Amino acid sequence: FYFCEPGDSNCTVDLALSNVEKYALVGITEEMSLTVELLEKVTPWVFGGQAEQVAARKNASKVSERGTNIFNPVTNTSLNGATSTRTRQQIKERAVNYKDEIEFYNRVKKLFWRKAAQLSY
């Protein structure tokens, strides 16, 4: 976990989460625009006006965030978020190794949405 001391073999999900809770806000990348808006509310002296900048860049982009015109002949799809059945199966088989990381991430997401609700979003 990034929210424990490097090399701390005693780091647990609960310890990492208790460290996360010390921060005013921990954003999530899939909600980048909202994260920046929340950062503006929490620390306007640092992030004031940044949400407008993010929105302007997003609107100025001619290609969607995940857009691509690359074609994958194996899956017969564009590579716009396409994941083959084989890849999905491999992820499912190996996800057991990431149980703690998945739990941590899901709990951080809940904290994020709780903070967003607290700030009236």
mmCIF file of all heavy atoms in Angstrom, residues 35-67:
data_model
loop_
_atom_site.group_PDB
_atom_site.id
_atom_site.type_symbol
_atom_site.label_atom_id
_atom_site.label_comp_id
_atom_site.label_asym_id
_atom_site.label_seq_id
_atom_site.Cartn_x
_atom_site.Cartn_y
_atom_site.Cartn_z
ATOM 1 N N THR A 35 -12.715 15.069 -8.637
ATOM 2 C CA THR A 35 -11.613 15.185 -7.677
ATOM 3 C C THR A 35 -11.071 16.607 -7.664
ATOM 4 O O THR A 35 -10.872 17.196 -6.596
ATOM 5 C CB THR A 35 -10.489 14.179 -8.001
ATOM 6 O OG1 THR A 35 -10.986 12.847 -7.853
ATOM 7 C CG2 THR A 35 -9.283 14.372 -7.099
ATOM 8 N N VAL A 36 -10.874 17.182 -8.846
ATOM 9 C CA VAL A 36 -10.342 18.550 -8.931
ATOM 10 C C VAL A 36 -11.360 19.544 -8.360
ATOM 11 O O VAL A 36 -10.993 20.476 -7.638
ATOM 12 C CB VAL A 36 -9.938 18.901 -10.375
ATOM 13 C CG1 VAL A 36 -9.537 20.366 -10.495
ATOM 14 C CG2 VAL A 36 -8.799 18.006 -10.834
ATOM 15 N N GLU A 37 -12.650 19.341 -8.646
ATOM 16 C CA GLU A 37 -13.680 20.218 -8.076
ATOM 17 C C GLU A 37 -13.659 20.154 -6.546
ATOM 18 O O GLU A 37 -13.771 21.183 -5.870
ATOM 19 C CB GLU A 37 -15.064 19.828 -8.586
ATOM 20 C CG GLU A 37 -15.313 20.201 -10.024
ATOM 21 C CD GLU A 37 -16.700 19.774 -10.485
ATOM 22 O OE1 GLU A 37 -17.651 19.929 -9.694
ATOM 23 O OE2 GLU A 37 -16.809 19.294 -11.621
ATOM 24 N N LEU A 38 -13.526 18.956 -6.012
ATOM 25 C CA LEU A 38 -13.476 18.801 -4.557
ATOM 26 C C LEU A 38 -12.220 19.440 -3.982
ATOM 27 O O LEU A 38 -12.263 20.064 -2.917
ATOM 28 C CB LEU A 38 -13.561 17.318 -4.172
ATOM 29 C CG LEU A 38 -14.875 16.619 -4.518
ATOM 30 C CD1 LEU A 38 -14.770 15.122 -4.243
ATOM 31 C CD2 LEU A 38 -16.040 17.232 -3.758
ATOM 32 N N LEU A 39 -11.102 19.286 -4.688
ATOM 33 C CA LEU A 39 -9.860 19.921 -4.237
ATOM 34 C C LEU A 39 -10.014 21.446 -4.205
ATOM 35 O O LEU A 39 -9.497 22.107 -3.308
ATOM 36 C CB LEU A 39 -8.688 19.515 -5.135
ATOM 37 C CG LEU A 39 -8.166 18.112 -4.924
ATOM 38 C CD1 LEU A 39 -7.229 17.706 -6.058
ATOM 39 C CD2 LEU A 39 -7.463 17.976 -3.578
ATOM 40 N N GLU A 40 -10.750 21.988 -5.177
ATOM 41 C CA GLU A 40 -11.027 23.421 -5.173
ATOM 42 C C GLU A 40 -11.799 23.832 -3.928
ATOM 43 O O GLU A 40 -11.539 24.880 -3.349
ATOM 44 C CB GLU A 40 -11.840 23.819 -6.404
ATOM 45 C CG GLU A 40 -11.038 24.062 -7.637
ATOM 46 C CD GLU A 40 -11.884 24.647 -8.754
ATOM 47 O OE1 GLU A 40 -13.082 24.320 -8.870
ATOM 48 O OE2 GLU A 40 -11.342 25.450 -9.517
ATOM 49 N N LYS A 41 -12.770 22.998 -3.540
ATOM 50 C CA LYS A 41 -13.570 23.317 -2.349
ATOM 51 C C LYS A 41 -12.757 23.187 -1.074
ATOM 52 O O LYS A 41 -12.876 24.000 -0.163
ATOM 53 C CB LYS A 41 -14.791 22.400 -2.269
ATOM 54 C CG LYS A 41 -15.959 22.892 -3.043
ATOM 55 C CD LYS A 41 -17.227 22.268 -2.531
ATOM 56 C CE LYS A 41 -18.387 23.133 -2.951
ATOM 57 N NZ LYS A 41 -19.619 22.772 -2.339
ATOM 58 N N VAL A 42 -11.927 22.145 -0.997
ATOM 59 C CA VAL A 42 -11.173 21.867 0.228
ATOM 60 C C VAL A 42 -9.995 22.826 0.378
ATOM 61 O O VAL A 42 -9.709 23.299 1.479
ATOM 62 C CB VAL A 42 -10.690 20.393 0.237
ATOM 63 C CG1 VAL A 42 -9.776 20.116 1.406
ATOM 64 C CG2 VAL A 42 -11.886 19.449 0.280
ATOM 65 N N THR A 43 -9.317 23.115 -0.725
ATOM 66 C CA THR A 43 -8.140 23.994 -0.684
ATOM 67 C C THR A 43 -8.184 24.989 -1.847
ATOM 68 O O THR A 43 -7.387 24.907 -2.779
ATOM 69 C CB THR A 43 -6.832 23.168 -0.748
ATOM 70 O OG1 THR A 43 -6.899 22.323 -1.910
ATOM 71 C CG2 THR A 43 -6.617 22.334 0.480
ATOM 72 N N PRO A 44 -9.092 25.950 -1.776
ATOM 73 C CA PRO A 44 -9.241 26.896 -2.888
ATOM 74 C C PRO A 44 -8.005 27.758 -3.119
ATOM 75 O O PRO A 44 -7.760 28.189 -4.245
ATOM 76 C CB PRO A 44 -10.444 27.755 -2.465
ATOM 77 C CG PRO A 44 -10.554 27.581 -0.991
ATOM 78 C CD PRO A 44 -10.018 26.216 -0.682
ATOM 79 N N TRP A 45 -7.216 27.994 -2.090
ATOM 80 C CA TRP A 45 -6.011 28.808 -2.246
ATOM 81 C C TRP A 45 -4.949 28.087 -3.084
ATOM 82 O O TRP A 45 -4.056 28.727 -3.613
ATOM 83 C CB TRP A 45 -5.439 29.204 -0.881
ATOM 84 C CG TRP A 45 -5.063 28.031 -0.023
ATOM 85 C CD1 TRP A 45 -3.837 27.421 0.060
ATOM 86 C CD2 TRP A 45 -5.917 27.303 0.861
ATOM 87 N NE1 TRP A 45 -3.879 26.365 0.932
ATOM 88 C CE2 TRP A 45 -5.153 26.262 1.449
ATOM 89 C CE3 TRP A 45 -7.253 27.407 1.219
ATOM 90 C CZ2 TRP A 45 -5.675 25.357 2.363
ATOM 91 C CZ3 TRP A 45 -7.769 26.497 2.135
ATOM 92 C CH2 TRP A 45 -6.977 25.498 2.688
ATOM 93 N N VAL A 46 -5.090 26.787 -3.237
ATOM 94 C CA VAL A 46 -4.147 26.024 -4.060
ATOM 95 C C VAL A 46 -4.774 25.651 -5.404
ATOM 96 O O VAL A 46 -4.146 25.787 -6.443
ATOM 97 C CB VAL A 46 -3.684 24.736 -3.327
ATOM 98 C CG1 VAL A 46 -2.774 23.906 -4.209
ATOM 99 C CG2 VAL A 46 -3.009 25.070 -2.012
ATOM 100 N N PHE A 47 -6.013 25.178 -5.371
ATOM 101 C CA PHE A 47 -6.641 24.610 -6.570
ATOM 102 C C PHE A 47 -7.718 25.500 -7.192
ATOM 103 O O PHE A 47 -8.402 25.068 -8.108
ATOM 104 C CB PHE A 47 -7.238 23.233 -6.255
ATOM 105 C CG PHE A 47 -6.198 22.192 -6.005
ATOM 106 C CD1 PHE A 47 -5.819 21.873 -4.708
ATOM 107 C CD2 PHE A 47 -5.579 21.544 -7.056
ATOM 108 C CE1 PHE A 47 -4.841 20.912 -4.475
ATOM 109 C CE2 PHE A 47 -4.601 20.589 -6.831
ATOM 110 C CZ PHE A 47 -4.236 20.278 -5.538
ATOM 111 N N GLY A 48 -7.879 26.714 -6.721
ATOM 112 C CA GLY A 48 -8.891 27.612 -7.272
ATOM 113 C C GLY A 48 -8.754 27.774 -8.780
ATOM 114 O O GLY A 48 -7.674 28.053 -9.282
ATOM 115 N N GLY A 49 -9.853 27.558 -9.497
ATOM 116 C CA GLY A 49 -9.864 27.707 -10.955
ATOM 117 C C GLY A 49 -9.407 26.491 -11.742
ATOM 118 O O GLY A 49 -9.509 26.478 -12.964
ATOM 119 N N GLN A 50 -8.936 25.480 -11.064
ATOM 120 C CA GLN A 50 -8.407 24.310 -11.789
ATOM 121 C C GLN A 50 -9.498 23.469 -12.439
ATOM 122 O O GLN A 50 -9.269 22.860 -13.485
ATOM 123 C CB GLN A 50 -7.552 23.447 -10.864
ATOM 124 C CG GLN A 50 -6.273 24.121 -10.427
ATOM 125 C CD GLN A 50 -5.459 24.606 -11.605
ATOM 126 O OE1 GLN A 50 -5.120 23.840 -12.497
ATOM 127 N NE2 GLN A 50 -5.157 25.897 -11.632
ATOM 128 N N ALA A 51 -10.690 23.422 -11.844
ATOM 129 C CA ALA A 51 -11.773 22.630 -12.440
ATOM 130 C C ALA A 51 -12.117 23.181 -13.825
ATOM 131 O O ALA A 51 -12.371 22.418 -14.758
ATOM 132 C CB ALA A 51 -12.998 22.624 -11.538
ATOM 133 N N GLU A 52 -12.103 24.501 -13.957
ATOM 134 C CA GLU A 52 -12.361 25.113 -15.266
ATOM 135 C C GLU A 52 -11.280 24.718 -16.268
ATOM 136 O O GLU A 52 -11.571 24.464 -17.436
ATOM 137 C CB GLU A 52 -12.398 26.639 -15.142
ATOM 138 C CG GLU A 52 -13.637 27.159 -14.465
ATOM 139 C CD GLU A 52 -13.610 28.667 -14.334
ATOM 140 O OE1 GLU A 52 -12.938 29.337 -15.152
ATOM 141 O OE2 GLU A 52 -14.267 29.174 -13.413
ATOM 142 N N GLN A 53 -10.047 24.679 -15.817
ATOM 143 C CA GLN A 53 -8.932 24.288 -16.691
ATOM 144 C C GLN A 53 -9.092 22.842 -17.169
ATOM 145 O O GLN A 53 -8.887 22.541 -18.343
ATOM 146 C CB GLN A 53 -7.595 24.456 -15.967
ATOM 147 C CG GLN A 53 -7.243 25.874 -15.628
ATOM 148 C CD GLN A 53 -6.969 26.698 -16.873
ATOM 149 O OE1 GLN A 53 -6.454 26.212 -17.860
ATOM 150 N NE2 GLN A 53 -7.359 27.958 -16.825
ATOM 151 N N VAL A 54 -9.459 21.965 -16.243
ATOM 152 C CA VAL A 54 -9.649 20.548 -16.598
ATOM 153 C C VAL A 54 -10.787 20.415 -17.592
ATOM 154 O O VAL A 54 -10.664 19.710 -18.602
ATOM 155 C CB VAL A 54 -9.907 19.695 -15.333
ATOM 156 C CG1 VAL A 54 -10.358 18.291 -15.691
ATOM 157 C CG2 VAL A 54 -8.663 19.647 -14.465
ATOM 158 N N ALA A 55 -11.894 21.113 -17.336
ATOM 159 C CA ALA A 55 -13.047 21.045 -18.238
ATOM 160 C C ALA A 55 -12.690 21.599 -19.608
ATOM 161 O O ALA A 55 -13.079 21.034 -20.632
ATOM 162 C CB ALA A 55 -14.220 21.804 -17.640
ATOM 163 N N ALA A 56 -11.946 22.698 -19.643
ATOM 164 C CA ALA A 56 -11.559 23.306 -20.925
ATOM 165 C C ALA A 56 -10.687 22.353 -21.739
ATOM 166 O O ALA A 56 -10.870 22.195 -22.944
ATOM 167 C CB ALA A 56 -10.830 24.624 -20.689
ATOM 168 N N ARG A 57 -9.730 21.698 -21.061
ATOM 169 C CA ARG A 57 -8.865 20.741 -21.774
ATOM 170 C C ARG A 57 -9.666 19.555 -22.286
ATOM 171 O O ARG A 57 -9.448 19.071 -23.381
ATOM 172 C CB ARG A 57 -7.742 20.259 -20.860
ATOM 173 C CG ARG A 57 -6.527 21.113 -20.985
ATOM 174 C CD ARG A 57 -5.350 20.523 -20.259
ATOM 175 N NE ARG A 57 -4.953 21.541 -19.296
ATOM 176 C CZ ARG A 57 -4.794 21.368 -18.020
ATOM 177 N NH1 ARG A 57 -4.940 20.190 -17.488
ATOM 178 N NH2 ARG A 57 -4.460 22.360 -17.237
ATOM 179 N N LYS A 58 -10.599 19.094 -21.466
ATOM 180 C CA LYS A 58 -11.422 17.949 -21.860
ATOM 181 C C LYS A 58 -12.289 18.309 -23.065
ATOM 182 O O LYS A 58 -12.406 17.534 -24.004
ATOM 183 C CB LYS A 58 -12.293 17.515 -20.679
ATOM 184 C CG LYS A 58 -13.005 16.224 -20.870
ATOM 185 C CD LYS A 58 -13.709 15.831 -19.587
ATOM 186 C CE LYS A 58 -14.368 14.486 -19.706
ATOM 187 N NZ LYS A 58 -15.023 14.089 -18.466
ATOM 188 N N ASN A 59 -12.883 19.505 -23.040
ATOM 189 C CA ASN A 59 -13.729 19.947 -24.155
ATOM 190 C C ASN A 59 -12.921 20.241 -25.414
ATOM 191 O O ASN A 59 -13.411 20.081 -26.521
ATOM 192 C CB ASN A 59 -14.529 21.186 -23.750
ATOM 193 C CG ASN A 59 -15.568 20.858 -22.703
ATOM 194 O OD1 ASN A 59 -16.018 19.729 -22.585
ATOM 195 N ND2 ASN A 59 -15.949 21.857 -21.918
ATOM 196 N N ALA A 60 -11.679 20.681 -25.247
ATOM 197 C CA ALA A 60 -10.832 21.004 -26.399
ATOM 198 C C ALA A 60 -10.324 19.754 -27.103
ATOM 199 O O ALA A 60 -9.963 19.798 -28.267
ATOM 200 C CB ALA A 60 -9.655 21.861 -25.952
ATOM 201 N N SER A 61 -10.303 18.634 -26.387
ATOM 202 C CA SER A 61 -9.801 17.395 -26.967
ATOM 203 C C SER A 61 -10.779 16.880 -28.014
ATOM 204 O O SER A 61 -11.969 16.771 -27.768
ATOM 205 C CB SER A 61 -9.609 16.350 -25.859
ATOM 206 O OG SER A 61 -9.254 15.118 -26.428
ATOM 207 N N LYS A 62 -10.268 16.558 -29.185
ATOM 208 C CA LYS A 62 -11.128 16.049 -30.258
ATOM 209 C C LYS A 62 -11.366 14.555 -30.130
ATOM 210 O O LYS A 62 -12.246 14.011 -30.756
ATOM 211 C CB LYS A 62 -10.502 16.370 -31.610
ATOM 212 C CG LYS A 62 -10.470 17.839 -31.895
ATOM 213 C CD LYS A 62 -9.852 18.130 -33.232
ATOM 214 C CE LYS A 62 -9.817 19.637 -33.426
ATOM 215 N NZ LYS A 62 -9.092 20.029 -34.604
ATOM 216 N N VAL A 63 -10.577 13.884 -29.315
ATOM 217 C CA VAL A 63 -10.708 12.446 -29.127
ATOM 218 C C VAL A 63 -11.174 12.214 -27.701
ATOM 219 O O VAL A 63 -10.711 12.866 -26.779
ATOM 220 C CB VAL A 63 -9.346 11.734 -29.352
ATOM 221 C CG1 VAL A 63 -9.464 10.243 -29.132
ATOM 222 C CG2 VAL A 63 -8.824 12.034 -30.744
ATOM 223 N N SER A 64 -12.107 11.298 -27.528
ATOM 224 C CA SER A 64 -12.567 11.003 -26.171
ATOM 225 C C SER A 64 -11.404 10.449 -25.351
ATOM 226 O O SER A 64 -10.391 10.019 -25.902
ATOM 227 C CB SER A 64 -13.716 9.992 -26.200
ATOM 228 O OG SER A 64 -13.234 8.714 -26.525
ATOM 229 N N GLU A 65 -11.580 10.438 -24.038
ATOM 230 C CA GLU A 65 -10.504 9.993 -23.158
ATOM 231 C C GLU A 65 -10.036 8.581 -23.486
ATOM 232 O O GLU A 65 -8.888 8.248 -23.298
ATOM 233 C CB GLU A 65 -10.967 10.064 -21.703
ATOM 234 C CG GLU A 65 -11.158 11.480 -21.220
ATOM 235 C CD GLU A 65 -11.687 11.541 -19.812
ATOM 236 O OE1 GLU A 65 -11.609 10.531 -19.091
ATOM 237 O OE2 GLU A 65 -12.190 12.602 -19.429
ATOM 238 N N ARG A 66 -10.943 7.736 -23.933
ATOM 239 C CA ARG A 66 -10.585 6.354 -24.211
ATOM 240 C C ARG A 66 -10.653 6.050 -25.701
ATOM 241 O O ARG A 66 -10.556 4.910 -26.108
ATOM 242 C CB ARG A 66 -11.529 5.420 -23.454
ATOM 243 C CG ARG A 66 -11.407 5.581 -21.958
ATOM 244 C CD ARG A 66 -12.287 4.638 -21.239
ATOM 245 N NE ARG A 66 -11.873 3.284 -21.516
ATOM 246 C CZ ARG A 66 -12.594 2.223 -21.236
ATOM 247 N NH1 ARG A 66 -13.749 2.345 -20.681
ATOM 248 N NH2 ARG A 66 -12.161 1.027 -21.518
ATOM 249 N N GLY A 67 -10.859 7.057 -26.520
ATOM 250 C CA GLY A 67 -11.052 6.838 -27.941
ATOM 251 C C GLY A 67 -9.790 6.368 -28.654
ATOM 252 O O GLY A 67 -8.693 6.792 -28.350
#
